[in-house]
Every structure is written in C-alpha cells, then in structure tokens.
Amino acid sequence: PADVVLSGVTRTYGSTTALDALDLHVAGGEFLAVLGPSGCGKTTALRAIAGFEVPDAGTITVGGRDVTTVPPSKRDMGMVFQAYSLFPNLTAADNVAYGLAVRRRGRTERRRRAAELLELVGLADRGDRYPHQLSGGQQQRVALARALAVAPQVLLLDEPLSALDAQVRVQLRDEIRRIQLELGTTTVFVTHDQAEALSVADRVAVLRAGRLEQVASPDELYSRP
Ligand code: ADP
Ligand code: ADP
C-alpha cells in the first residue's frame, strides 16, 4: 500500500493560515486518525492529499509521487464525506459503480464489482434502492462502498460518522475498521471526536492551528499522564 507524506505544507485563505508548514507521514496500510478542534485544518489537509487544494508551499506525495503532478482521473483515492454525498438520482449499486463508469469499465464488471462492495458493507439486498430510501447509516455504507469500488491506494474519510446517531456511529466505525484491516488500504480518518479516534486508529495525529501537535498510538496517548 502507498504511503502519504506531507512535507512543510502551508495553505492560507486570505489572512487565515489553515495549514502551517504541516509535516505528516502516513505509513502504507496504516489507519491514521487526524484529530483536532473545529478550524484546526483537518479538512484542508485531507483535501490537499486528495489534490483538491493546491498548497501554497510544501509537497505531498502518495506512493512517492507528487499529487499535483498526477491528473485527477489517475489519483487512486477514495473519499467519504460527512453526509449527503450520494448522487440522489442513482441507485445504491449505480452510486457504487460510479467511479468505474467514469473509468469506462464495462457493464458486467460494474455490476459484479457493485455487488461485491455492497456485500462487503452489508447491503447486498439494497442495490436497487435510491439514497432517500436508505437510512443515514446505510447511505454512509454506500458512500464507503463507492469510495472503495475503484480499489484506491488511499482512503480519505472526513467525519464520515458525525451525522449519524450514537449507536449507528459505533457500529459503522467498527465496520470501517474491519474492512480497512481486510483490504489493507492506507486510511486517513478525520474527526474531532477523541474517543472515536482512539478507538479506531493505529495512530492518532493531533492538529492544532494547522500544525502537528503530536502523533502517537492510542496506547501511548492513554498512558501519558
Ligand atoms: P477543520 O476541518 O479542522 O474544521 P478546516 O480545514 O475546514 O478545519 O479549516 C481550517 C481553517 O481554514 C479555518 O479557519 C477555516 O475557516 C479556514 N478555511 C477553510 N477553507 C476555507 C476556504 N475555502 N475559504 C476561507 N477559509 C477557509
Ligand atoms: P468542518 O466540518 O470540517 O469544520 P466546515 O463546515 O467548516 O467543515 O467547512 C466545509 C467546507 O467549507 C470545506 O470544504 C471548507 O474548506 C470550506 N470552508 C470552511 N471554512 C470556510 C470559510 N471561512 N470560508 C469559506 N469556505 C470555508
């Protein structure tokens, strides 16, 4: 699996410094949680890794390649957002297969792959439903399946659980972790919820004001005085 390396990444919006010479290393196959209060730069960091935000300074590499030199269609990344990111006029199966359609894969492969992924997220019998016919938790499962359908090198999750109620949140959190371990995909999971970060990640990176405050495993963070 690809590693992700941010070196001295700075991104400003007018007088706001969203990222301030951020250094961050995500090892290949690792599940890294990025934790910090609202406004500390978590979403900006994730969008920069995805190539949606071009840094003012610094470099970002994925599997050793500078993301800004890779055209968007060739960026092997899957992304899940907070909520409401499915295409409302496509069925669950067609949402999952969307990235494959963009890559011009044939109908048989799209069907097979959508069925596999829906099975993986526990929605094998919901492929023909439209998003509005699914619960919030089910919609996020479809979003996860869609992100994974193209077998991305890197999975980027931006507060994917925060719109869900507590019980569904824990359930889906555990499921995301199970799937990540099964596939071994390098994963960056943004959250402002400390318990969530500690329960799910191999390591937790704590951001403050656009900088890395600390990075440690959950055990190391727990055992600190
Ligand atoms: P987080 O995800 O940790 O809440 P963000 O990365 O969304 O933080 O934002 C970091 C800082 O950058 C905040 O002060 C935010 O208001 C600012 N910011 C983010 N995106 C923009 C933008 N497109 N235009 C102006 N300011 C922005
Ligand atoms: P988060 O839940 O991570 O804090 P926000 O709701 O603050 O996210 O931001 C959602 C989107 O709006 C992001 O894409 C972010 O870059 C953008 N954004 C955040 N702050 C600002 C801002 N002050 N001005 C313009 N866009 C912003």
Side-chain angles (χ1 to χ4, degrees):
D3 62 351
V4 178
V5 182
L6 287 76
S7 305
V9 173
T10 295
R11 179 71 166 102
T12 60
Y13 299 100
S15 60
T16 303
T17 303
L19 299 177
D20 185 8
L22 176 65
D23 292 317
L24 186 65
H25 185 194
V26 192
E30 176 175 44
F31 195 124
L32 181 82
V34 175
L35 176 69
S38 183
C40 73
K42 303 183 296 297
T43 294
T44 304
L46 208 66
R47 290 173 52 82
I49 295 170
F52 296 153
E53 299 277 350
V54 178
D56 302 310
T59 58
I60 301 172
T61 63
V62 173
R65 293 182 70 188
D66 189 323
V67 288
T68 60
T69 67
V70 180
S73 65
K74 295 271 161 57
R75 290 184 197 134
D76 268 348
M77 285 185 258
M79 213 161 168
V80 179
F81 304 93
Q82 207 164 334
Y84 312 120
S85 59
L86 296 178
F87 302 113
N89 56 336
L90 297 182
T91 63
D94 287 343
N95 265 284
V96 174
Y98 179 80
L100 300 171
V102 169
R103 288 168 174 73
R104 298 180 175 281
R105 304 289 173 73
R107 177 200 280 240
T108 312
E109 183 186 345
R110 296 203 306 269
R111 287 220 173 128
R112 181 182 52 74
R113 191 77 183 130
E116 273 172 23
L117 267 300
L118 285 168
E119 169 104 50
L120 185 71
V121 300
L123 292 176
D125 58 347
R126 296 287 195 279
D128 58 356
R129 302 291 174 91
Y130 287 87
H132 75 270
Q133 298 173 312
L134 299 170
S135 70
Q138 290 172 334
Q139 290 186 40
Q140 285 303 73
R141 282 163 201 271
V142 175
L144 179 65
R146 181 176 62 183
L148 292 169
V150 298
Q153 295 198 49
V154 178
L155 179 62
L156 303 172
L157 307 173
D158 192 357
E159 306 248 10
L161 307 174
S162 60
L164 306 174
D165 60 42
Q167 195 189 340
V168 178
R169 201 154 67 216
V170 169
Q171 218 173 52
L172 188 53
R173 177 198 78 195
D174 292 348
E175 200 150 337
I176 288 173
R177 180 52 163 162
R178 175 184 65 74
I179 291 168
Q180 191 271 342
L181 285 171
E182 188 175 325
L183 301 178
T185 310
T186 308
T187 298
V188 185
F189 178 100
V190 161
T191 180
H192 62 268
D193 183 330
Q194 180 174 357
E196 194 168 279
L198 289 169
S199 65
V200 79
D202 293 316
R203 288 192 309 153
V204 179
V206 182
L207 290 200
R208 180 183 292 270
R211 299 187 73 98
L212 185 64
E213 191 172 66
Q214 60 173 334
V215 55
S217 71
D219 282 348
E220 289 166 340
L221 286 173
Y222 273 127
S223 62
R224 263 175 211 163

